Amino acid sequence: MADRLNALTSLGHSDPVTREIGPYRIVERFDIALASIACRRGRDKDFSKAAKGMVPLPDPAGSTQGAPYSSFWVAPDMWFVEAPFATNEDIAEELKRLFGDSASVTEQTDGWARFDLFAPDLAPLLERLCNVDFPHVEDGFASRTLVEHIGCYLIRRRQGEVTLYGPRSSAKSLLHAIETAAASVL
Amino acid sequence: MIIDHPILGPRDAQEFVYLGDASLMNRPDGLSDGIGAFHDYLYNRANPVGEHRELWYHEQGDRSWLVVTRNTLTHEITKVELARDVARASGRSR
Amino acid sequence: MSRSHRIAGGQIDRTSTIRFSFDGLPYTGHPGDTLASALLANGVRLMGRSFKYHRPRGPLSAGSEEPNALVQLRTGARQEPNSRATVAELFDGLTATSQNAWPSLRLDAMALNDRLSTFFAAGFYYKTFMWPAAFWEKVYEPMIRRAAGLGRLTREEDPDSYDKGFLHCDLLVIGAGPAGLMAALTAGRAGARVILADEDFRMGGRLNSERFEIGGQPGADWAAGAVAELAQLPTVRLMSRTTVIGAFDHGIYGAVERVSDHLPEPPPGKPRQTLWRIYSRRAILAGGATERPIAFENNDRPGIMLAGSLRAYANRWAVAAGDRVAIFTNNEDGLRTATDLHAKGVDVVAVIDARADGPLLPGIRHLRGAEVIDTRGRLGLTSITIRQANGRTETLRASALGVSGGWNPNVNISSHHRARPVWDEAILSFVPGKAGPPGLSAAGAAAGRLSTHGALASGQTEALAALADLGRASRAQPLPEAEDAPVSITPKWYVAGGKGRAWIDPQNDVTVKDVKLAHQENFTSVEHLKRYTTLGMATDQGKTGNVLGLAIMAGLTGRTIPETGTTIYRPPYTPVAMGTLAGRSRGKEFKPTRLTPSHAWAEEQGAVFVEVGQWLRTQWIPRPGETHWRESVDREVLATRRSVGICDVTTLGKIDIQGTDAGAFLDRVYANTFSTLPVGKCRYGLMLREDGIVFDDGTTARLGEHEYVMTTTTANAVAVFRHLEFCRQVLWPGMDVQLISTTEAWAQFSVAGPNARRLLERIVDQDISDAAFPYLAAGNITVGGLRARLFRISFSGELAYEIAVPARYGDALIRRLVEEGRTFDAVVYGTEALGVMRVEKGHVAGNELNGQSTALNMGLGKMVSRKKDSIGMVLSGREGMMDPGGYRLVGVKPVAPDGKLTAGSHFLDIGAAAVMENDGGWLTSKVYSPHLGSDIALGYLKAGDRRIGERMRAVNLLAGTDTEVEIVSPHFFDPEGERLRG
């Protein structure tokens, strides 16, 4: 067997980056495994049963933190499940085992770049990035949204913490958009 | 415009992609219906001034196809439904 | 420099001095000044030249309605033409220059136009420049272009950046005068989320320019107190320097915030302006009113301005625009200017009051039933000639004349949804119509409530109504005491009887005569009037002149003003810089850039990249010594065909399709069959639109019983996914199918060529011999223990695979493939070589998938299964689409090996003239084939399948090529496909 390949972050580095701009801290996350789960037609009961106590199934526009699995709603009957990469690198296989044929499971870990944003007040930054009414939505809110023409998922973890998932290939453009907006607020 | 998504609430129409007349869901059966039926389905549409049922896709959202009832003159939107529900209710299945 | 025209009082900070220049001369002003107020304070009245006649002009107004005082602000790349001096906030170092004047503002050569005014009357474009026709392009248009237009663009790139943003509120209040402030206070105190936006840098609206009291304190002080209270309310957002530019659907408003325009240049990282998209549940238009002039002869001289503006300059900016001031008014408000200026010690020579009766002003010469009939002063007003009620004329020395023809409510935004304003006889003006944007109501002067009390009361009333709509009950509070003077006005639109010109729309130089001419030539509807005379079509949208023009037309036609009607307004309320609309989307940031997993490696190699949608793909990778792109591409092609080549194909769309009906679903969306595809195999699929035209193509692999992965073209990835969701949710909602894109998740490389397998055997952990992994096999494998996917598919015609690893390993994989490939002289090829090889092999791509071509056209007609229902199956069988004489995909090569082909050439029979009737089709894709040593091409030729072996001409009149060609099979290379099965 050949040597293991080296992994690079979506920004092309060995290690994730952190940027500080004024009160804003932008933290690239490279330690999260991601998979989508979709309930198969007519299999709601089996699906919910399999998920119970293991994988949270939040309501539309919501997210739920858990261990090891957290998840957020993306579409009717579909969620993204997050887990620590270190312990759950094979998240898709795990979930396939868990849900059996009641769900369609798809590996998503490398489809997305993740940036966590921190600041006491993120509203001035986010109102320059997307149309989400950030001050108004509740903790746990999760939604797809557009950031400078890039389709992203935004999760409001709490008042001062937000997760943005953007397509991996656009990671540089997305980070640039966040940094530019942050500098613009200052 | 703002489209009041049945699941997600009010969302900016910028997030959606417009397709056209909701009659596009009434696709004939390719094995039993002929060219005439498909021709009508694809090309013959009413183009009303006023209330119009039309298909919108929440591409930058939850990827739901919606049936939006919109006044083409005023842009007033009076009803928004999940296209899947409308299709099922009209007997479409597989 | 003349002496200072500063008087006492005002809202300027005299403790601080600002230096600025106009037309190269230095001046000083104070914080709180606009460029116009500071210039007036320095005795400068002449600020511009008019559009058509190059008449000397000074400010007509003190606000954003300004038609005359347009200057070029700043220098260098930041120079902005047509900046209104009346709203340009003064900053230290500000530089302004006049425009539309040469050689100087005082001596403008083009003022000759003024003498030739007979030729430049309304409709002159249509009449004067008609004949001879050839003169239009060569003489008239260049001449007009040189002469017309006000400012000049710098033609340099705008160095500033612009932001866009999104705001949400319960109530948007547009305008922070007494009505807007009261509305915001009412809603804000009730806890509603309020945005209060005002275009001025100081909130308060007219209160800053008046001496009215509110609740016993000066109006400006009351406004400052209200603003201070609002700033403390947690749900209120105050946005000064912010112009709401338009009402859009469903409570969405656009607003431009001038973040840095009051500074010499934006601070680092800061935008110059921000375009806000405001989502509001309710909105109140409290945008005030704009005064209108009265037209009389030579009413456009510097020093003649709106009476309310003259008053504003005195009260707010402590400037007396002239030492001897006269007032011409048809309404009570004009008298206020006289009173205020008189109180400030300015010499008011006379008030010429068009009204025949009413009380007389004490201590001021007040002439009732009088009118101004002419003025004098070449570069600024020196005297006015008046005619008194008894017919006696008199000339008065005056350096400033304030004119008031009444106030027009600023209905603009209320008519953005095409609601027609309605005429209010009491104030002789239009007020907002009923059918305005849903959720928007008007308050204060914008609603025709012209008194201070009326503004406060209606602001509160409308806010309470909005709160009720929002489900927030609140009660009216006692209003502070304020004046509530009724409007007293007599119709007076223009002074009749003179021979000279009387201006209505000074910016576009539209005069009373032009309106009369339009009437004479039967352009009497307001829409015709506007277009024939250009009334209201300048950058000020006729804020001061429109009502005047249509009132005069009403008089000429004997109709009432409501019968005559009014044109309506479109966004934006005031001009918006293009950069503001672009936001950050310009230059390299016009759109996001998507990078492939091999991008960093390719960059290290000096690759040339090509934009494919948002993607940057490697086009070719030059090696040292290669000076022409063809050298690199030929080498990449030959090396691949000789040994092995590697290409990043990550950009192809990948869609994960699962569910118990996944196979049946694919049968519906593809023209050919997929439910019968064995697990572990892949197949080329052809996707049609419902009209039978080919939509997309790609390979789809079956990875499990209920699990497929579909490949789409790079360009159509998003459209195909949308289409599949439509099929799944709308057409066949009973099917058990789940879809998700995985394009980004996998780094995928094509490895092609006779040594492809030998190279991959060094990479993957499994046996991939032909027996273990035959042509069209697909499956999960591992690479150094990591999960990966392998597909044995070929676009090049070679023995080829596509290998995919999770994207994070893509960089490592390309490096390993290159490293291990050294043994085989492996090459990494780009999209050009990819294109050459696919044309050599006769595969269709974007140029052939042109949205007009059927499977039959492409020679793939047999792929459309008639045994099952699929999208496009039925309509692809239409007679016209089955025409045996229709286009068919053919190969083309020049008869002479060095013959040149050009894409887009048309097929002609030898000897046929190059005219449409003889057109046989066209060349879709052309490449140079190093394998064949000549240009080759694909094309669509009528009945092409029956013309193989014939000779024709490929003619491109644009490129000037006319080449004799042979029609051949599109499969130039290895037509039997032996190599890809090797």
PDB file of all heavy atoms in Angstrom, chain C residues 27-49:
ATOM      1  N   TYR C  27     -10.684  79.332  -1.125  1.00  0.00           N
ATOM      2  CA  TYR C  27     -11.747  79.916  -0.291  1.00  0.00           C
ATOM      3  C   TYR C  27     -11.728  79.229   1.067  1.00  0.00           C
ATOM      4  O   TYR C  27     -11.085  78.191   1.247  1.00  0.00           O
ATOM      5  CB  TYR C  27     -13.129  79.698  -0.934  1.00  0.00           C
ATOM      6  CG  TYR C  27     -13.287  80.339  -2.296  1.00  0.00           C
ATOM      7  CD1 TYR C  27     -13.156  79.571  -3.449  1.00  0.00           C
ATOM      8  CD2 TYR C  27     -13.594  81.686  -2.427  1.00  0.00           C
ATOM      9  CE1 TYR C  27     -13.311  80.141  -4.710  1.00  0.00           C
ATOM     10  CE2 TYR C  27     -13.751  82.263  -3.679  1.00  0.00           C
ATOM     11  CZ  TYR C  27     -13.610  81.487  -4.818  1.00  0.00           C
ATOM     12  OH  TYR C  27     -13.770  82.051  -6.054  1.00  0.00           O
ATOM     13  N   THR C  28     -12.498  79.798   1.998  1.00  0.00           N
ATOM     14  CA  THR C  28     -12.645  79.126   3.282  1.00  0.00           C
ATOM     15  C   THR C  28     -14.133  79.003   3.634  1.00  0.00           C
ATOM     16  O   THR C  28     -14.970  79.777   3.158  1.00  0.00           O
ATOM     17  CB  THR C  28     -11.947  79.887   4.428  1.00  0.00           C
ATOM     18  OG1 THR C  28     -12.510  81.191   4.506  1.00  0.00           O
ATOM     19  CG2 THR C  28     -10.452  79.966   4.211  1.00  0.00           C
ATOM     20  N   GLY C  29     -14.418  78.027   4.457  1.00  0.00           N
ATOM     21  CA  GLY C  29     -15.771  77.819   4.951  1.00  0.00           C
ATOM     22  C   GLY C  29     -15.698  77.221   6.338  1.00  0.00           C
ATOM     23  O   GLY C  29     -14.619  77.242   6.972  1.00  0.00           O
ATOM     24  N   HIS C  30     -16.800  76.681   6.801  1.00  0.00           N
ATOM     25  CA  HIS C  30     -16.834  76.117   8.151  1.00  0.00           C
ATOM     26  C   HIS C  30     -17.515  74.757   8.131  1.00  0.00           C
ATOM     27  O   HIS C  30     -18.313  74.472   7.243  1.00  0.00           O
ATOM     28  CB  HIS C  30     -17.605  77.045   9.091  1.00  0.00           C
ATOM     29  CG  HIS C  30     -16.985  78.391   9.246  1.00  0.00           C
ATOM     30  ND1 HIS C  30     -15.769  78.596   9.860  1.00  0.00           N
ATOM     31  CD2 HIS C  30     -17.391  79.623   8.836  1.00  0.00           C
ATOM     32  CE1 HIS C  30     -15.470  79.880   9.845  1.00  0.00           C
ATOM     33  NE2 HIS C  30     -16.443  80.525   9.222  1.00  0.00           N
ATOM     34  N   PRO C  31     -17.217  73.931   9.133  1.00  0.00           N
ATOM     35  CA  PRO C  31     -17.948  72.677   9.252  1.00  0.00           C
ATOM     36  C   PRO C  31     -19.445  72.979   9.324  1.00  0.00           C
ATOM     37  O   PRO C  31     -19.851  73.907  10.034  1.00  0.00           O
ATOM     38  CB  PRO C  31     -17.439  72.070  10.557  1.00  0.00           C
ATOM     39  CG  PRO C  31     -16.083  72.664  10.749  1.00  0.00           C
ATOM     40  CD  PRO C  31     -16.171  74.060  10.181  1.00  0.00           C
ATOM     41  N   GLY C  32     -20.226  72.208   8.598  1.00  0.00           N
ATOM     42  CA  GLY C  32     -21.655  72.482   8.517  1.00  0.00           C
ATOM     43  C   GLY C  32     -22.034  73.105   7.190  1.00  0.00           C
ATOM     44  O   GLY C  32     -23.189  73.081   6.797  1.00  0.00           O
ATOM     45  N   ASP C  33     -21.020  73.652   6.481  1.00  0.00           N
ATOM     46  CA  ASP C  33     -21.271  74.252   5.177  1.00  0.00           C
ATOM     47  C   ASP C  33     -21.428  73.184   4.103  1.00  0.00           C
ATOM     48  O   ASP C  33     -20.825  72.110   4.186  1.00  0.00           O
ATOM     49  CB  ASP C  33     -20.072  75.141   4.772  1.00  0.00           C
ATOM     50  CG  ASP C  33     -20.300  76.612   5.098  1.00  0.00           C
ATOM     51  OD1 ASP C  33     -21.461  77.058   4.999  1.00  0.00           O
ATOM     52  OD2 ASP C  33     -19.305  77.300   5.433  1.00  0.00           O
ATOM     53  N   THR C  34     -22.179  73.524   3.072  1.00  0.00           N
ATOM     54  CA  THR C  34     -22.085  72.798   1.813  1.00  0.00           C
ATOM     55  C   THR C  34     -21.181  73.623   0.910  1.00  0.00           C
ATOM     56  O   THR C  34     -20.868  74.775   1.210  1.00  0.00           O
ATOM     57  CB  THR C  34     -23.459  72.647   1.141  1.00  0.00           C
ATOM     58  OG1 THR C  34     -23.955  73.955   0.819  1.00  0.00           O
ATOM     59  CG2 THR C  34     -24.444  71.934   2.060  1.00  0.00           C
ATOM     60  N   LEU C  35     -20.793  73.047  -0.194  1.00  0.00           N
ATOM     61  CA  LEU C  35     -19.971  73.800  -1.138  1.00  0.00           C
ATOM     62  C   LEU C  35     -20.719  75.049  -1.582  1.00  0.00           C
ATOM     63  O   LEU C  35     -20.143  76.135  -1.677  1.00  0.00           O
ATOM     64  CB  LEU C  35     -19.637  72.908  -2.346  1.00  0.00           C
ATOM     65  CG  LEU C  35     -18.873  73.591  -3.479  1.00  0.00           C
ATOM     66  CD1 LEU C  35     -17.550  74.160  -3.002  1.00  0.00           C
ATOM     67  CD2 LEU C  35     -18.658  72.604  -4.630  1.00  0.00           C
ATOM     68  N   ALA C  36     -22.033  74.911  -1.821  1.00  0.00           N
ATOM     69  CA  ALA C  36     -22.813  76.054  -2.294  1.00  0.00           C
ATOM     70  C   ALA C  36     -22.888  77.137  -1.223  1.00  0.00           C
ATOM     71  O   ALA C  36     -22.696  78.317  -1.516  1.00  0.00           O
ATOM     72  CB  ALA C  36     -24.210  75.596  -2.701  1.00  0.00           C
ATOM     73  N   SER C  37     -23.141  76.743   0.004  1.00  0.00           N
ATOM     74  CA  SER C  37     -23.277  77.767   1.050  1.00  0.00           C
ATOM     75  C   SER C  37     -21.947  78.472   1.274  1.00  0.00           C
ATOM     76  O   SER C  37     -21.894  79.690   1.480  1.00  0.00           O
ATOM     77  CB  SER C  37     -23.808  77.146   2.353  1.00  0.00           C
ATOM     78  OG  SER C  37     -22.835  76.356   2.998  1.00  0.00           O
ATOM     79  N   ALA C  38     -20.859  77.695   1.200  1.00  0.00           N
ATOM     80  CA  ALA C  38     -19.550  78.307   1.411  1.00  0.00           C
ATOM     81  C   ALA C  38     -19.195  79.245   0.265  1.00  0.00           C
ATOM     82  O   ALA C  38     -18.633  80.317   0.480  1.00  0.00           O
ATOM     83  CB  ALA C  38     -18.487  77.217   1.572  1.00  0.00           C
ATOM     84  N   LEU C  39     -19.510  78.855  -0.959  1.00  0.00           N
ATOM     85  CA  LEU C  39     -19.222  79.735  -2.097  1.00  0.00           C
ATOM     86  C   LEU C  39     -20.066  81.003  -2.012  1.00  0.00           C
ATOM     87  O   LEU C  39     -19.563  82.105  -2.228  1.00  0.00           O
ATOM     88  CB  LEU C  39     -19.491  79.002  -3.419  1.00  0.00           C
ATOM     89  CG  LEU C  39     -18.397  78.011  -3.863  1.00  0.00           C
ATOM     90  CD1 LEU C  39     -18.863  77.214  -5.084  1.00  0.00           C
ATOM     91  CD2 LEU C  39     -17.083  78.728  -4.157  1.00  0.00           C
ATOM     92  N   LEU C  40     -21.328  80.850  -1.675  1.00  0.00           N
ATOM     93  CA  LEU C  40     -22.186  82.026  -1.532  1.00  0.00           C
ATOM     94  C   LEU C  40     -21.651  82.944  -0.438  1.00  0.00           C
ATOM     95  O   LEU C  40     -21.657  84.166  -0.573  1.00  0.00           O
ATOM     96  CB  LEU C  40     -23.626  81.614  -1.223  1.00  0.00           C
ATOM     97  CG  LEU C  40     -24.408  80.979  -2.382  1.00  0.00           C
ATOM     98  CD1 LEU C  40     -25.748  80.441  -1.891  1.00  0.00           C
ATOM     99  CD2 LEU C  40     -24.628  81.985  -3.514  1.00  0.00           C
ATOM    100  N   ALA C  41     -21.159  82.323   0.634  1.00  0.00           N
ATOM    101  CA  ALA C  41     -20.609  83.118   1.732  1.00  0.00           C
ATOM    102  C   ALA C  41     -19.385  83.904   1.278  1.00  0.00           C
ATOM    103  O   ALA C  41     -19.086  84.973   1.810  1.00  0.00           O
ATOM    104  CB  ALA C  41     -20.233  82.216   2.905  1.00  0.00           C
ATOM    105  N   ASN C  42     -18.691  83.343   0.275  1.00  0.00           N
ATOM    106  CA  ASN C  42     -17.530  84.033  -0.278  1.00  0.00           C
ATOM    107  C   ASN C  42     -17.903  84.955  -1.438  1.00  0.00           C
ATOM    108  O   ASN C  42     -17.031  85.430  -2.158  1.00  0.00           O
ATOM    109  CB  ASN C  42     -16.503  83.004  -0.757  1.00  0.00           C
ATOM    110  CG  ASN C  42     -15.720  82.397   0.402  1.00  0.00           C
ATOM    111  OD1 ASN C  42     -14.799  83.017   0.924  1.00  0.00           O
ATOM    112  ND2 ASN C  42     -16.112  81.201   0.820  1.00  0.00           N
ATOM    113  N   GLY C  43     -19.186  85.134  -1.664  1.00  0.00           N
ATOM    114  CA  GLY C  43     -19.631  86.037  -2.718  1.00  0.00           C
ATOM    115  C   GLY C  43     -19.616  85.429  -4.108  1.00  0.00           C
ATOM    116  O   GLY C  43     -19.717  86.124  -5.103  1.00  0.00           O
ATOM    117  N   VAL C  44     -19.466  84.105  -4.168  1.00  0.00           N
ATOM    118  CA  VAL C  44     -19.456  83.434  -5.476  1.00  0.00           C
ATOM    119  C   VAL C  44     -20.862  82.945  -5.794  1.00  0.00           C
ATOM    120  O   VAL C  44     -21.399  82.091  -5.088  1.00  0.00           O
ATOM    121  CB  VAL C  44     -18.465  82.248  -5.488  1.00  0.00           C
ATOM    122  CG1 VAL C  44     -18.495  81.550  -6.835  1.00  0.00           C
ATOM    123  CG2 VAL C  44     -17.067  82.731  -5.145  1.00  0.00           C
ATOM    124  N   ARG C  45     -21.451  83.522  -6.838  1.00  0.00           N
ATOM    125  CA  ARG C  45     -22.791  83.087  -7.224  1.00  0.00           C
ATOM    126  C   ARG C  45     -22.752  82.223  -8.477  1.00  0.00           C
ATOM    127  O   ARG C  45     -23.569  81.332  -8.657  1.00  0.00           O
ATOM    128  CB  ARG C  45     -23.667  84.312  -7.513  1.00  0.00           C
ATOM    129  CG  ARG C  45     -23.960  85.151  -6.304  1.00  0.00           C
ATOM    130  CD  ARG C  45     -24.942  86.239  -6.656  1.00  0.00           C
ATOM    131  NE  ARG C  45     -24.334  87.254  -7.552  1.00  0.00           N
ATOM    132  CZ  ARG C  45     -24.982  88.288  -8.051  1.00  0.00           C
ATOM    133  NH1 ARG C  45     -26.261  88.434  -7.794  1.00  0.00           N
ATOM    134  NH2 ARG C  45     -24.373  89.162  -8.830  1.00  0.00           N
ATOM    135  N   LEU C  46     -21.792  82.535  -9.364  1.00  0.00           N
ATOM    136  CA  LEU C  46     -21.703  81.821 -10.639  1.00  0.00           C
ATOM    137  C   LEU C  46     -21.038  80.468 -10.417  1.00  0.00           C
ATOM    138  O   LEU C  46     -19.866  80.398 -10.048  1.00  0.00           O
ATOM    139  CB  LEU C  46     -20.891  82.670 -11.624  1.00  0.00           C
ATOM    140  CG  LEU C  46     -20.602  82.045 -12.998  1.00  0.00           C
ATOM    141  CD1 LEU C  46     -21.886  81.761 -13.745  1.00  0.00           C
ATOM    142  CD2 LEU C  46     -19.696  82.973 -13.798  1.00  0.00           C
ATOM    143  N   MET C  47     -21.764  79.402 -10.591  1.00  0.00           N
ATOM    144  CA  MET C  47     -21.209  78.072 -10.293  1.00  0.00           C
ATOM    145  C   MET C  47     -21.257  77.128 -11.483  1.00  0.00           C
ATOM    146  O   MET C  47     -20.688  76.055 -11.452  1.00  0.00           O
ATOM    147  CB  MET C  47     -21.948  77.440  -9.109  1.00  0.00           C
ATOM    148  CG  MET C  47     -21.756  78.231  -7.820  1.00  0.00           C
ATOM    149  SD  MET C  47     -22.464  77.404  -6.393  1.00  0.00           S
ATOM    150  CE  MET C  47     -22.542  78.785  -5.238  1.00  0.00           C
ATOM    151  N   GLY C  48     -21.985  77.473 -12.534  1.00  0.00           N
ATOM    152  CA  GLY C  48     -22.042  76.539 -13.651  1.00  0.00           C
ATOM    153  C   GLY C  48     -22.606  77.192 -14.888  1.00  0.00           C
ATOM    154  O   GLY C  48     -22.950  78.378 -14.898  1.00  0.00           O
ATOM    155  N   ARG C  49     -22.649  76.391 -15.939  1.00  0.00           N
ATOM    156  CA  ARG C  49     -23.235  76.830 -17.196  1.00  0.00           C
ATOM    157  C   ARG C  49     -24.329  75.838 -17.559  1.00  0.00           C
ATOM    158  O   ARG C  49     -24.221  74.656 -17.282  1.00  0.00           O
ATOM    159  CB  ARG C  49     -22.166  76.834 -18.293  1.00  0.00           C
ATOM    160  CG  ARG C  49     -21.147  77.964 -18.149  1.00  0.00           C
ATOM    161  CD  ARG C  49     -21.647  79.217 -18.834  1.00  0.00           C
ATOM    162  NE  ARG C  49     -20.727  80.336 -18.645  1.00  0.00           N
ATOM    163  CZ  ARG C  49     -20.834  81.480 -19.324  1.00  0.00           C
ATOM    164  NH1 ARG C  49     -21.791  81.639 -20.226  1.00  0.00           N
ATOM    165  NH2 ARG C  49     -19.987  82.465 -19.101  1.00  0.00           N
TER     166      ARG C  49
END
